[in-house]
Amino acid sequence: MEQLAARPARVRDEAMRRARACLAVKRSIDAGMPARHAVQQAAAEVGVPAGTLARWWWGHGAFAGVQGAPVAAWPALLAPRWGVQAQREAEISGQAWDAILRGYLRPEKPSLHKVVRDVQAHAASRGWTLPSYASIARRVARLDSRLVVLAREGRQAFEAMYSPLQRSVAHLSALEWVNADGHRLDVFVRLPERFGGGVGRVHLVAWQDIHSRKILSWRLTPTLNAYSALLAFLDMVARYGVPDHALMDNGREFGAKLLTGGAPWRYRFKVQADEMLGALPLLGVEVHWATPFHGQAKPIERAFRDLAEEIAKDARLAGAYTGNRPDAKPENYGSKAADWALVEQVCAEAIARHNAREGRRTETAKGRSFDAVFAESYGRRVVTKLAPSQQAMLLMAAEPVKVRPDNRVVVCGNAYACEPGWGVAGQKVVVRFDPDDLKRPVAVCAIDGQLIGWAEPSVAPFDDQMAAQAVKRYRAAARRASRERLRYLEQVEMLTAPAPDAAGAVEPAAVRMFQSAGPARDAQEEARLDELVARTDALILEMAQRMAG
């Protein structure tokens, strides 16, 4: 039917006319009329010669006819061959055809002429039958285009043959879904001393709201790392609140345990039971991973395309632009390096303009700005925000460690003493610490993020007698407190379980006397026993009367 639909209208009309004539034959046969008479009667009704209708019904020569075929297939079978030339394919050996396909369907994309010549060189020795080049070319032209593109152009070209899936965000709300990624700016920057100084290129790490496409937070960093992604995330949380879902890039900086620990990842495989929770799972954010090497999966990639030119080609950064490709360097390449503060200012202004620009054509904007879309939806949401102490806790570096038997944890070569009363010796915990000041106490947390307590540094200079005395006083106080508790408990009455009460023995509901199964007594013996009992009773009565007299 698909082939019939591609034929001209006059061919389709003629096919339907022939099908109706054959349908009249079928009705007569179904009514019980012999097939021969049915063909003659139908031919008279529709005005078709009986011989022609017989050929349509039973077939003739190469044409099989419609008898026994499904009625829905009749129009295609009866369609005339007007304008269609019967082509006879020249014979070709199966092995020769396979060799041609094997040589043609390669990423090197050889020409068909070369492939045919290579096969012809071996055809005679192997006994293969080969037609002309034109015949082979016609066969190759009928190959499935998807097969040819995948083999000769590659997977990316194959995927481009299919229309992309349009994903709607109209049902979402502001801060429900966010996504993050990093982009390397095409600008030479003088790095601050805290980053080691020198000149280099910087990365922009940004978090974007998917519903409105607004950039919510961003950070500049010399290299993409988990801490810069975490700092940008906490900037967003402090300003707007905690999102529900996060679509993450597959880079290792976003897959670090500091940020997404506890969430499955393609490099993390199976999540371990004692694995520390990252900042996002700890806050209840459901982590999703974008498809690797598929930029369309993250809406923020479109924003980076705009921001890349807005920032790198800003007039204030003239001379610091590096070009976006090795072969696209400007004439003044490397003549200047921009100040870090200036690049931050340019980024802030470019992102603000990006969010405030009117005339956006996204599904939710419809001519408005990203700021307006976000403000409208954000005003209807109930969001979760963190207290300053919670934000400070998440800003600290985290490292999973195992508490030693002497209740110490070692982080970055520094030891910290845990309280023995915490009962964490030998267990795995998460230590949160300030990497810039390792002399400060560290927060010891459970694997699920719950704070256990603060551990003090247990290392002091050799000649620091004050520290040693302080430790000694602390331990003496702890020992004294334990002894006072024991002394108090010694004054409490020692209780033991009472002995079982004999009077309270269990009694049965009835008693049945035991009867021995001895031999039965005869009548004389029974009489003698009765007489003995009677004399005994008489003596007892007589003694009782004498005692009473």
Side-chain angles (χ1 to χ4, degrees):
M1 292 299 292
E2 294 180 358
Q3 295 179 354
L4 180 61
R7 303 288 300 279
R10 63 190 186 92
V11 174
R12 297 196 301 269
D13 294 342
E14 176 62 19
M16 295 303 297
R17 185 182 75 86
R18 294 181 180 183
R20 284 192 292 269
C22 292
L23 192 59
V25 176
K26 182 178 183 301
R27 284 196 298 266
S28 299
I29 293 176
D30 292 342
M33 184 180 294
R36 192 171 188 180
H37 296 301
V39 169
Q40 293 176 354
Q41 179 177 331
E45 291 178 0
V46 299
V48 176
T52 301
L53 186 55
R55 288 193 298 271
W56 293 349
W57 182 257
W58 284 294
H60 178 73
F63 178 66
V66 298
Q67 184 185 21
V71 176
W74 287 5
L77 294 174
L78 296 170
R81 300 295 188 264
W82 300 336
V84 178
Q85 296 181 357
Q87 297 181 356
R88 294 183 178 179
E89 290 284 347
E91 183 181 355
I92 182 173
S93 299
Q95 294 180 342
W97 176 241
D98 292 341
I100 292 174
L101 294 182
R102 179 67 179 87
Y104 183 72
L105 299 177
R106 290 187 292 140
E108 293 80 9
K109 295 187 286 188
S111 66
L112 184 59
H113 283 282
K114 171 178 171 43
V115 174
V116 173
R117 287 197 303 268
D118 292 343
V119 175
Q120 286 175 343
H122 297 275
S125 61
R126 303 191 180 191
W128 291 347
T129 301
L130 281 177
S132 64
Y133 172 81
S135 177
I136 296 175
R138 285 193 296 269
R139 291 174 182 265
V140 172
R142 292 198 299 270
L143 290 175
D144 190 343
S145 60
R146 296 170 296 181
L147 173 66
V148 176
V149 170
L150 180 61
R152 293 172 63 91
E153 304 291 338
R155 180 177 176 179
Q156 187 173 0
F158 177 83
E159 297 290 345
M161 298 177 67
Y162 294 89
S163 58
L165 177 65
Q166 188 70 27
R167 295 185 295 178
S168 174
V169 298
H171 64 289
L172 302 178
S173 58
L175 208 66
E176 184 177 353
W177 276 74
V178 296
N179 70 139
D181 202 358
H183 176 75
R184 191 180 187 186
L185 298 179
D186 302 322
V187 178
F188 282 129
V189 183
R190 282 192 292 271
L191 304 178
E193 290 299 328
R194 68 178 185 272
F195 295 128
V199 175
R201 293 171 62 180
V202 296
H203 291 79
L204 174 66
V205 179
W207 288 80
Q208 179 197 47
D209 175 59
I210 291 182
H211 171 76
S212 64
R213 299 295 199 271
K214 177 179 179 177
I215 302 295
L216 301 179
S217 63
W218 58 275
R219 286 270 181 153
L220 287 182
T221 175
T223 58
L224 282 178
N225 54 76
Y227 289 107
S228 58
L230 175 62
L231 290 174
F233 173 76
L234 293 178
D235 289 343
M236 175 187 65
V237 171
R239 173 64 180 85
Y240 300 104
V242 180
D244 298 334
H245 302 265
L247 179 64
M248 308 293 287
D249 183 76
N250 275 273
R252 295 185 182 272
E253 59 277 359
F254 293 100
K257 292 184 179 181
L258 177 67
L259 200 63
T260 56
W265 184 41
R266 66 188 182 117
Y267 291 123
R268 194 152 41 232
F269 302 108
K270 185 177 180 180
V271 177
Q272 302 297 326
D274 58 349
E275 181 175 303
M276 64 171 283
L277 288 180
L280 271 67
L282 193 60
L283 296 178
V285 181
E286 187 172 348
V287 178
H288 307 266
W289 302 100
T291 304
F293 308 107
H294 190 67
Q296 298 93 320
K298 301 187 298 294
I300 197 171
E301 293 282 2
R302 178 63 179 85
F304 280 152
R305 192 176 73 181
D306 292 344
L307 292 173
E309 184 167 352
E310 283 284 327
I311 296 172
K313 295 185 179 180
D314 190 279
R316 290 166 290 182
L317 303 181
Y321 179 61
T322 65
N324 57 359
R325 299 190 315 273
D327 59 346
K329 297 178 180 178
E331 289 294 330
N332 58 353
Y333 175 82
S335 61
K336 176 184 175 182
D339 291 333
W340 180 275
L342 177 60
V343 176
E344 279 190 328
Q345 180 182 352
V346 172
C347 288
E349 294 175 1
I351 291 175
R353 290 194 301 269
H354 174 83
N355 291 335
R357 186 182 306 156
E358 299 287 342
R360 296 294 188 178
R361 294 180 297 177
T362 62
E363 181 186 14
T364 55
K366 298 178 181 178
R368 299 176 295 169
S369 66
F370 296 156
D371 279 336
V373 178
F374 181 82
E376 178 187 3
S377 179
Y378 186 74
R380 300 192 299 265
R381 266 186 63 86
V382 177
V383 299
T384 303
K385 290 199 172 184
L386 301 182
S389 59
Q390 295 172 319
Q391 296 180 30
M393 179 70 70
L394 291 176
L395 281 172
M396 301 175 71
E399 184 175 339
V401 296
K402 189 173 184 180
V403 183
R404 298 186 177 183
D406 57 356
N407 284 289
R408 284 193 308 161
V409 291
V410 179
V411 179
C412 299
N414 294 270
Y416 302 87
C418 299
E419 287 288 346
W422 294 347
V424 294
Q427 298 182 12
K428 196 171 185 179
V429 296
V430 176
V431 177
R432 292 190 174 272
F433 59 96
D434 186 351
D436 296 329
D437 189 1
L438 295 174
K439 296 181 180 179
R440 296 176 55 187
V442 298
V444 180
C445 306
I447 294 298
D448 60 1
Q450 183 178 1
L451 177 65
I452 299 175
W454 292 85
E456 297 285 343
S458 62
V459 177
F462 180 80
D463 56 352
D464 190 350
Q465 298 299 323
M466 299 296 294
Q469 292 176 6
V471 172
K472 186 177 181 179
R473 286 194 299 269
Y474 173 77
R475 292 180 180 177
R479 187 167 56 252
R480 186 167 51 252
S482 298
R483 286 179 177 176
E484 290 178 358
R485 179 71 180 274
L486 291 175
R487 192 176 298 114
Y488 166 77
L489 294 177
E490 289 175 355
Q491 300 174 4
V492 178
E493 181 184 359
M494 185 74 72
L495 300 179
T496 59
D501 188 2
V506 179
E507 298 291 340
V511 177
R512 183 178 60 188
M513 299 304 294
F514 175 77
Q515 294 181 356
S516 63
R521 295 187 293 266
D522 55 11
Q524 294 180 358
E525 185 178 358
E526 288 288 345
R528 286 195 301 271
L529 289 176
D530 292 341
E531 182 181 358
L532 178 61
V533 170
R535 286 201 305 267
T536 303
D537 290 342
L539 290 173
I540 292 174
L541 289 176
E542 184 179 355
M543 291 176 63
Q545 291 176 357
R546 290 178 180 178
M547 293 176 64

PDB file of all heavy atoms in Angstrom, residues 375-391:
ATOM      1  N   ALA A 375      10.927  35.557  38.163  1.00  0.00           N
ATOM      2  CA  ALA A 375      10.256  36.277  39.247  1.00  0.00           C
ATOM      3  C   ALA A 375       8.787  35.878  39.352  1.00  0.00           C
ATOM      4  O   ALA A 375       8.246  35.721  40.457  1.00  0.00           O
ATOM      5  CB  ALA A 375      10.380  37.781  39.024  1.00  0.00           C
ATOM      6  N   GLU A 376       8.139  35.676  38.211  1.00  0.00           N
ATOM      7  CA  GLU A 376       6.725  35.307  38.229  1.00  0.00           C
ATOM      8  C   GLU A 376       6.513  33.938  38.870  1.00  0.00           C
ATOM      9  O   GLU A 376       5.625  33.754  39.703  1.00  0.00           O
ATOM     10  CB  GLU A 376       6.175  35.310  36.810  1.00  0.00           C
ATOM     11  CG  GLU A 376       4.711  34.896  36.733  1.00  0.00           C
ATOM     12  CD  GLU A 376       4.222  34.736  35.311  1.00  0.00           C
ATOM     13  OE1 GLU A 376       5.039  34.892  34.379  1.00  0.00           O
ATOM     14  OE2 GLU A 376       3.024  34.439  35.134  1.00  0.00           O
ATOM     15  N   SER A 377       7.330  32.971  38.491  1.00  0.00           N
ATOM     16  CA  SER A 377       7.172  31.628  39.024  1.00  0.00           C
ATOM     17  C   SER A 377       7.715  31.517  40.452  1.00  0.00           C
ATOM     18  O   SER A 377       7.134  30.819  41.283  1.00  0.00           O
ATOM     19  CB  SER A 377       7.889  30.625  38.112  1.00  0.00           C
ATOM     20  OG  SER A 377       7.766  29.319  38.604  1.00  0.00           O
ATOM     21  N   TYR A 378       8.810  32.200  40.739  1.00  0.00           N
ATOM     22  CA  TYR A 378       9.426  32.121  42.067  1.00  0.00           C
ATOM     23  C   TYR A 378       8.496  32.701  43.132  1.00  0.00           C
ATOM     24  O   TYR A 378       8.490  32.248  44.283  1.00  0.00           O
ATOM     25  CB  TYR A 378      10.750  32.882  42.049  1.00  0.00           C
ATOM     26  CG  TYR A 378      11.559  32.773  43.317  1.00  0.00           C
ATOM     27  CD1 TYR A 378      12.232  31.604  43.637  1.00  0.00           C
ATOM     28  CD2 TYR A 378      11.666  33.856  44.192  1.00  0.00           C
ATOM     29  CE1 TYR A 378      12.991  31.504  44.798  1.00  0.00           C
ATOM     30  CE2 TYR A 378      12.421  33.764  45.346  1.00  0.00           C
ATOM     31  CZ  TYR A 378      13.074  32.584  45.640  1.00  0.00           C
ATOM     32  OH  TYR A 378      13.825  32.496  46.796  1.00  0.00           O
ATOM     33  N   GLY A 379       7.688  33.686  42.751  1.00  0.00           N
ATOM     34  CA  GLY A 379       6.766  34.292  43.703  1.00  0.00           C
ATOM     35  C   GLY A 379       5.654  33.372  44.149  1.00  0.00           C
ATOM     36  O   GLY A 379       4.963  33.671  45.127  1.00  0.00           O
ATOM     37  N   ARG A 380       5.473  32.245  43.453  1.00  0.00           N
ATOM     38  CA  ARG A 380       4.417  31.300  43.815  1.00  0.00           C
ATOM     39  C   ARG A 380       4.952  30.047  44.484  1.00  0.00           C
ATOM     40  O   ARG A 380       4.195  29.132  44.768  1.00  0.00           O
ATOM     41  CB  ARG A 380       3.629  30.893  42.556  1.00  0.00           C
ATOM     42  CG  ARG A 380       2.948  32.032  41.829  1.00  0.00           C
ATOM     43  CD  ARG A 380       1.968  31.499  40.797  1.00  0.00           C
ATOM     44  NE  ARG A 380       2.631  30.695  39.790  1.00  0.00           N
ATOM     45  CZ  ARG A 380       3.043  31.144  38.616  1.00  0.00           C
ATOM     46  NH1 ARG A 380       2.867  32.419  38.322  1.00  0.00           N
ATOM     47  NH2 ARG A 380       3.632  30.344  37.749  1.00  0.00           N
ATOM     48  N   ARG A 381       6.266  29.995  44.733  1.00  0.00           N
ATOM     49  CA  ARG A 381       6.873  28.787  45.290  1.00  0.00           C
ATOM     50  C   ARG A 381       7.165  28.931  46.771  1.00  0.00           C
ATOM     51  O   ARG A 381       7.388  30.031  47.275  1.00  0.00           O
ATOM     52  CB  ARG A 381       8.187  28.458  44.559  1.00  0.00           C
ATOM     53  CG  ARG A 381       7.999  27.481  43.428  1.00  0.00           C
ATOM     54  CD  ARG A 381       9.335  27.079  42.837  1.00  0.00           C
ATOM     55  NE  ARG A 381      10.189  26.379  43.778  1.00  0.00           N
ATOM     56  CZ  ARG A 381      10.147  25.076  44.002  1.00  0.00           C
ATOM     57  NH1 ARG A 381       9.243  24.319  43.398  1.00  0.00           N
ATOM     58  NH2 ARG A 381      10.978  24.512  44.844  1.00  0.00           N
ATOM     59  N   VAL A 382       7.153  27.789  47.445  1.00  0.00           N
ATOM     60  CA  VAL A 382       7.622  27.709  48.833  1.00  0.00           C
ATOM     61  C   VAL A 382       9.002  27.062  48.772  1.00  0.00           C
ATOM     62  O   VAL A 382       9.144  25.913  48.347  1.00  0.00           O
ATOM     63  CB  VAL A 382       6.667  26.862  49.703  1.00  0.00           C
ATOM     64  CG1 VAL A 382       7.222  26.736  51.115  1.00  0.00           C
ATOM     65  CG2 VAL A 382       5.282  27.492  49.719  1.00  0.00           C
ATOM     66  N   VAL A 383      10.033  27.802  49.166  1.00  0.00           N
ATOM     67  CA  VAL A 383      11.403  27.338  49.021  1.00  0.00           C
ATOM     68  C   VAL A 383      12.017  27.041  50.385  1.00  0.00           C
ATOM     69  O   VAL A 383      11.558  27.550  51.412  1.00  0.00           O
ATOM     70  CB  VAL A 383      12.265  28.377  48.274  1.00  0.00           C
ATOM     71  CG1 VAL A 383      11.721  28.604  46.893  1.00  0.00           C
ATOM     72  CG2 VAL A 383      12.332  29.681  49.043  1.00  0.00           C
ATOM     73  N   THR A 384      13.042  26.219  50.375  1.00  0.00           N
ATOM     74  CA  THR A 384      13.783  25.853  51.583  1.00  0.00           C
ATOM     75  C   THR A 384      15.095  26.616  51.608  1.00  0.00           C
ATOM     76  O   THR A 384      15.841  26.604  50.618  1.00  0.00           O
ATOM     77  CB  THR A 384      14.070  24.343  51.616  1.00  0.00           C
ATOM     78  OG1 THR A 384      12.829  23.631  51.536  1.00  0.00           O
ATOM     79  CG2 THR A 384      14.798  23.954  52.887  1.00  0.00           C
ATOM     80  N   LYS A 385      15.379  27.272  52.725  1.00  0.00           N
ATOM     81  CA  LYS A 385      16.618  28.033  52.858  1.00  0.00           C
ATOM     82  C   LYS A 385      17.412  27.506  54.052  1.00  0.00           C
ATOM     83  O   LYS A 385      16.857  26.886  54.972  1.00  0.00           O
ATOM     84  CB  LYS A 385      16.346  29.525  53.006  1.00  0.00           C
ATOM     85  CG  LYS A 385      15.828  30.179  51.726  1.00  0.00           C
ATOM     86  CD  LYS A 385      16.007  31.685  51.749  1.00  0.00           C
ATOM     87  CE  LYS A 385      15.664  32.308  50.408  1.00  0.00           C
ATOM     88  NZ  LYS A 385      15.932  33.762  50.391  1.00  0.00           N
ATOM     89  N   LEU A 386      18.714  27.779  54.052  1.00  0.00           N
ATOM     90  CA  LEU A 386      19.602  27.304  55.094  1.00  0.00           C
ATOM     91  C   LEU A 386      19.943  28.423  56.071  1.00  0.00           C
ATOM     92  O   LEU A 386      20.037  29.587  55.679  1.00  0.00           O
ATOM     93  CB  LEU A 386      20.904  26.771  54.480  1.00  0.00           C
ATOM     94  CG  LEU A 386      20.778  25.628  53.474  1.00  0.00           C
ATOM     95  CD1 LEU A 386      22.153  25.203  53.005  1.00  0.00           C
ATOM     96  CD2 LEU A 386      20.031  24.460  54.072  1.00  0.00           C
ATOM     97  N   ALA A 387      20.144  28.018  57.316  1.00  0.00           N
ATOM     98  CA  ALA A 387      20.627  28.965  58.319  1.00  0.00           C
ATOM     99  C   ALA A 387      22.100  29.259  58.049  1.00  0.00           C
ATOM    100  O   ALA A 387      22.801  28.473  57.413  1.00  0.00           O
ATOM    101  CB  ALA A 387      20.452  28.374  59.717  1.00  0.00           C
ATOM    102  N   PRO A 388      22.607  30.410  58.524  1.00  0.00           N
ATOM    103  CA  PRO A 388      24.028  30.730  58.306  1.00  0.00           C
ATOM    104  C   PRO A 388      24.969  29.657  58.821  1.00  0.00           C
ATOM    105  O   PRO A 388      25.994  29.374  58.195  1.00  0.00           O
ATOM    106  CB  PRO A 388      24.198  32.049  59.063  1.00  0.00           C
ATOM    107  CG  PRO A 388      22.833  32.667  59.070  1.00  0.00           C
ATOM    108  CD  PRO A 388      21.880  31.519  59.160  1.00  0.00           C
ATOM    109  N   SER A 389      24.638  29.033  59.960  1.00  0.00           N
ATOM    110  CA  SER A 389      25.506  27.976  60.486  1.00  0.00           C
ATOM    111  C   SER A 389      25.527  26.766  59.557  1.00  0.00           C
ATOM    112  O   SER A 389      26.563  26.109  59.390  1.00  0.00           O
ATOM    113  CB  SER A 389      25.029  27.565  61.874  1.00  0.00           C
ATOM    114  OG  SER A 389      23.685  27.087  61.826  1.00  0.00           O
ATOM    115  N   GLN A 390      24.390  26.438  58.930  1.00  0.00           N
ATOM    116  CA  GLN A 390      24.350  25.320  57.994  1.00  0.00           C
ATOM    117  C   GLN A 390      25.153  25.630  56.731  1.00  0.00           C
ATOM    118  O   GLN A 390      25.846  24.765  56.199  1.00  0.00           O
ATOM    119  CB  GLN A 390      22.902  25.001  57.639  1.00  0.00           C
ATOM    120  CG  GLN A 390      22.074  24.492  58.804  1.00  0.00           C
ATOM    121  CD  GLN A 390      20.610  24.382  58.448  1.00  0.00           C
ATOM    122  OE1 GLN A 390      20.044  25.249  57.777  1.00  0.00           O
ATOM    123  NE2 GLN A 390      19.980  23.319  58.911  1.00  0.00           N
ATOM    124  N   GLN A 391      25.075  26.860  56.265  1.00  0.00           N
ATOM    125  CA  GLN A 391      25.867  27.247  55.112  1.00  0.00           C
ATOM    126  C   GLN A 391      27.357  27.163  55.426  1.00  0.00           C
ATOM    127  O   GLN A 391      28.157  26.706  54.597  1.00  0.00           O
ATOM    128  CB  GLN A 391      25.501  28.668  54.673  1.00  0.00           C
ATOM    129  CG  GLN A 391      24.065  28.820  54.198  1.00  0.00           C
ATOM    130  CD  GLN A 391      23.753  30.238  53.782  1.00  0.00           C
ATOM    131  OE1 GLN A 391      24.627  30.957  53.319  1.00  0.00           O
ATOM    132  NE2 GLN A 391      22.516  30.652  53.951  1.00  0.00           N
TER     133      GLN A 391
END
